[in-house]
């Protein structure tokens, strides 16, 4: 046996350890499917045409996890017409951590009500895709969709 082959043979435990740790990390990442965000409760007052939607929600954010999020907001009126309130935007972990600090545990958002929205029941639908590890970036992010019901008044 050559010196190189003997050295590689003596270090076999190292290669097994590296493969074992790598496989373990991939398994842990693949099991990481819980959303790092949850709405506990919310309030939206009825909105008059031409006014603004004011969302005040009690939320839980898992600030220990370093996740980024791509989010978008759409409004659906009583006729089922969809209005894009906020096109997709990506927030890095630092921006999410900053949101949690002011004010903690709350999400306060204000959106202008688009022209032409029908009177009656409406809903604001917020779609979020979280990436908390490299596997989610490559394959499947954690998707969360929240719906906030409110009333459009004259």
């Amino acid at each position: 046996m050559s010196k190189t082959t003997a050295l590689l043979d003596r270090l076999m435990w190292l290669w097994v350890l590296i493969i074992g740790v790598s496989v373990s990390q991939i398994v842990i990442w693949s099991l990481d499917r819980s959303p790092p965000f949850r709405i506990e409760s919310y309030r939206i007052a009825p909105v008059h045409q031409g006014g603004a939607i004011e969302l005040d929600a009690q939320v839980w954010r898992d600030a220990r996890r370093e996740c980024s999020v791509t989010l978008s907001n759409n409004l659906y009126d009583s006729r089922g017409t969809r209005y894009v309130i906020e096109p997709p935007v990506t927030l890095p972990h630092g921006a999410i951590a900053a949101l949690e600090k002011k004010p903690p545990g709350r999400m306060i958002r204000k959106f202008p009500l688009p022209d032409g929205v029908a009177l009656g029941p409406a809903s604001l639908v917020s779609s979020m895709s979280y990436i908390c590890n490299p596997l989610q970036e490559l394959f499947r992010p954690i998707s969360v969709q929240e719906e906030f019901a409110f009333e459009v008044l004259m």
Side-chain angles (χ1 to χ4, degrees), residues 113-132:
L113 191 65
D115 293 332
V117 173
L119 299 176
S123 61
L124 176 66
V125 177
S126 184
S127 301
M128 298 161 272
S129 293
Y130 287 92
I131 296 175
C132 302

Side-chain angles (χ1 to χ4, degrees), residues 59 61 94-108:
V59 300
R61 293 182 183 98
I96 295 170
L99 285 174
E100 180 58 22
K101 289 179 183 170
K102 52 179 182 178
R106 295 200 40 218
M107 178 178 68
I108 300 171

